[in-house]
Amino acid sequence: MRRLRSLDIKYLHGVGPKRAELLNKELGISSYRDLLYHFPTRYVDRSKFYSISGFTGDMPSVQVKGRFLTMSIQGEGAKTRLVGVFTDGTTTMEVVWFRRIKQLRDSYHTGNEYIVFGKPEEFNGRWSMVHPEIDTPAAPGAMQGLRGVYPLTDKLRNQGIGSRQIFTWIQTALAASPSISETLPRKVTESMKLMPLREALANIHNPQSLEALNNAKFRLKLEELLYLQLNILRYARRRNASLSGFRFPRIGDYFNRFYHEQMPFELTGAQKRVIKEIRADMTTGRQMNRLLQGDVGSGKTLVGLLCMLIALDNDTQACMMAPTEILATQHFETLYKLAAPIGINIKLLTGSTSKKNREIIHRQLADGSLHILVGTHAVIEDNVKFKNLGFVVIDEQHRFGVAQRARMWKKNSIPPHVLVMTATPIPRTLAMTVYGDLSVSVIDELPPGRKPITTLLRYDDNRRPVYQAIGRQLKEGRQIYIVYPLIKENEKLDLKSLEDGYEYIQELFPQYRVCHVHGKMKPAEKDFQMQLFASGQAHIMVATTVIEVGVNVPNASVMLIENAERFGLSQLHQLRGRVGRGADQSYCILMTHHKITKETRRRLEIMTSTTDGFVVAEADLKMRGPGDIEGTMQSGIPFELHIADLSTDGRIVSLARDKANEILDEDPELTNPDNAVIKNELALLDNRIVDWSRIS
Ligand code: ADP
Ligand code: MG
């Protein structure tokens, strides 16, 4: 493979320096290897011929065999085109070209037999194909069976480089590369019954059968994902091995007293299961890094508290960190009510904690009399020193960087166990890659008795009924959120629409107090406005997505989202989670322009059809692709995937994950000669990737 990587594409027969430059610029192809790994995005069936008289409007690309009756240049200027009238004996169709007209006219002759391959389109009652591919039946390599369609750009097409040309070059490159060496150890290919690399490359481009194509795809996807997992796990293991952690064998007084005297309700099955998983981690002697995923309202806070109590029972302190002051304050209030009655000393530290209280906190942390510290990122400041910190809960991970998590590890000579809680439902396969080394626990059950939120799609040319409904909710004493999108490219305009909306709502509901929050506000002002709403003094909150994370106002019953089409599904779900926290029926209203595309409507209808965050996230992933999923962008994955797709190849991700673990269990440093090939490939990948150990 090394050799293929260093072979410049310009030396490939039929390419040359000019086209090589174009290929590089348009598709990033510069070596033979790049070309061989430029895979088709889909395949078309060229095993059968269709007849023009049997064409229908919804056909994919099909092939017909026949002859041109006439061939003429028509139109003028920009509308000049070459039109061939083509017959297969049943009836005729037009074949139309808009580019390279003269050249094409001279290369096809009336009377000769051709195979024309393209998508039938009906125009004025007549069938036509625009820019089809054309073969002569006898041409060597004339396409039979399954045929790849390659990703291309307009620039390439304009230069006459189409799927067919790419295919031909790839065949040439394959023929010129007799020794494509295997990139997986024999043990892997044999135990997983994988197609050898050379055969897989041959079949991915020129499938001998559907079965061979599937085997080729499987082998190439598995390899790609295996290297991805090896990459992640190699670093994660190295780090885990070097970090021994607290062993918490005891369940003691704090936990038991809380459980029997203070527990406000029975734990759900999912909460119990997750606590068991965390308990198991705490007894291994290795530091825990665990991600706790649970939909909004699934009761993560209580799980966090119970874990902290176990840490207290084992003579250590605990800390809970939240991304905003208001969230930290809410957590503090919740935890204080629950834990203070059984003699737990719990305090809040944020940017606005007074100097005097700060001093008390510092002193009590140092002498060990403060058991639980709740706060914002103020808790990771260097001057905050614990006597013996054993457990850290981080709420809403995506607002914190990994760097912050690492600073937490360093707060103690033995790094504390870390539980990261998030309501952003990341499908498991993505979590395995994006969160790399974090073990994942899932709360997949809501506490009993919740009323599902009713989600409605409404159009902004018909607002009156929506405002009437809001008026009724206000009259009943409920509170309302109204959210506007704020998207960077257009910040000014967005801010204007928010402020217009704010004014309009004030005019519309003069008898109610309206507050507003956006990202451009100073933190103190933001907190003040939030507090107005949280305390019930304000009835309507007009805001951008800054309210997305975690605010808990159980009395809020309506979430109205303006320009809902501009939000991602996962984001809409997070916003929706701000309501439905009390006993009353709640509503989420998605307001859009009345002219939205079919696809947008389909996307939004996922919201109206389910309240399950995982279903929403899976759908989001399928529709937008993993690169786009919110919150994963910055963590990203270490290299671009060519063939595997995290949104659809979940099963292969799991297989690759298991295999990677197996390989590293047997040979952690990859020193076994059998694994030399892995070491090699990983070294080549390392040149392309960012340092994963710093990202995990
Ligand atoms: P989130 O997972 O979104 O952080 P919270 O921890 O804020 O959810 O919990 C949401 C609400 O559900 C809180 O009011 C909490 O007291 C309540 N709750 C948590 N666990 C249970 C349970 N097992 N049974 C009933 N209510 C619960
Ligand atoms: Mg929460």
Side-chain angles (χ1 to χ4, degrees), residues 262-309:
Q262 281 300 113
M263 270 283 282
F265 20 61
E266 178 78 9
L267 291 178
T268 63
Q271 284 171 319
K272 282 185 190 154
R273 192 192 63 237
V274 162
I275 289 169
K276 265 195 203 130
E277 288 168 3
I278 297 168
R279 269 276 291 154
D281 279 2
M282 289 172 163
T283 55
T284 60
R286 261 179 293 133
Q287 186 224 8
M288 175 185 86
N289 277 288
R290 189 170 274 278
L291 177 72
L292 176 58
Q293 282 186 275
D295 213 342
V296 278
S298 61
K300 297 184 289 294
T301 320
L302 194 59
V303 170
L305 174 61
L306 287 165
C307 295
M308 293 197 289
L309 294 179

Side-chain angles (χ1 to χ4, degrees), residues 300-301 331 395-396:
K300 297 184 289 294
T301 320
H331 277 323
D395 198 15
E396 302 297 353

Side-chain angles (χ1 to χ4, degrees), residues 321-339:
M321 181 159 75
T324 63
E325 177 137 5
I326 187 146
L327 263 183
T329 309
Q330 281 193 348
H331 277 323
F332 171 73
E333 283 165 2
T334 308
L335 297 184
Y336 187 88
K337 260 185 239 140
L338 291 169

Side-chain angles (χ1 to χ4, degrees), residues 139-366:
M143 294 307 146
Q144 278 139 23
L146 290 167
R147 184 54 203 296
V149 178
Y150 291 91
L152 290 167
T153 64
D154 281 344
K155 246 204 188 123
L156 287 166
R157 280 195 205 93
N158 288 340
Q159 298 292 318
I161 300 176
S163 255
R164 177 78 199 280
Q165 178 65 77
I166 300 276
F167 174 83
T168 309
W169 282 335
I170 287 171
Q171 296 309 310
T172 313
L174 273 173
S177 319
S179 61
I180 292 177
S181 50
E182 189 48 63
T183 44
L184 287 172
R186 169 113 46 92
K187 234 174 131 182
V188 174
T189 51
E190 276 176 4
S191 67
M192 303 192 84
K193 299 196 176 61
L194 299 178
M195 190 183 251
L197 179 60
R198 190 186 169 83
E199 209 181 319
L201 286 174
N203 274 290
I204 198 82
H205 293 295
N206 192 14
Q208 294 311 299
S209 66
L210 195 58
E211 195 194 351
L213 173 62
N214 286 336
N215 289 338
K217 272 191 190 163
F218 179 73
R219 135 107 218 190
L220 293 165
K221 286 179 175 186
L222 186 103
E223 171 169 0
E224 196 167 56
L225 293 168
L226 179 67
Y227 278 110
L228 181 64
Q229 291 296 335
L230 281 169
N231 230 303
I232 295 163
L233 292 172
R234 193 172 43 148
Y235 291 118
R237 280 170 172 246
R238 216 172 273 166
R239 213 197 56 222
N240 278 348
S242 64
L243 288 184
S244 52
F246 281 106
R247 209 182 282 275
F248 289 159
R250 257 193 315 280
I251 293 272
D253 250 19
Y254 284 125
F255 187 96
N256 283 325
R257 277 194 61 203
F258 178 82
Y259 204 87
H260 295 115
E261 296 169 20
Q262 281 300 113
M263 270 283 282
F265 20 61
E266 178 78 9
L267 291 178
T268 63
Q271 284 171 319
K272 282 185 190 154
R273 192 192 63 237
V274 162
I275 289 169
K276 265 195 203 130
E277 288 168 3
I278 297 168
R279 269 276 291 154
D281 279 2
M282 289 172 163
T283 55
T284 60
R286 261 179 293 133
Q287 186 224 8
M288 175 185 86
N289 277 288
R290 189 170 274 278
L291 177 72
L292 176 58
Q293 282 186 275
D295 213 342
V296 278
S298 61
K300 297 184 289 294
T301 320
L302 194 59
V303 170
L305 174 61
L306 287 165
C307 295
M308 293 197 289
L309 294 179
I310 297 174
L312 265 49
D313 278 337
N314 289 272
D315 304 321
T316 65
Q317 295 159 295
C319 175
M320 184 184 276
M321 181 159 75
T324 63
E325 177 137 5
I326 187 146
L327 263 183
T329 309
Q330 281 193 348
H331 277 323
F332 171 73
E333 283 165 2
T334 308
L335 297 184
Y336 187 88
K337 260 185 239 140
L338 291 169
I342 55 164
I344 290 172
N345 183 8
I346 172 167
K347 292 214 154 61
L348 174 69
L349 178 68
T350 70
S352 45
T353 303
S354 71
K355 188 153 175 272
K356 191 168 139 243
N357 281 332
R358 201 174 280 260
E359 272 162 15
I360 297 174
I361 287 172
H362 285 176
R363 197 175 61 242
Q364 293 190 343
L365 277 179

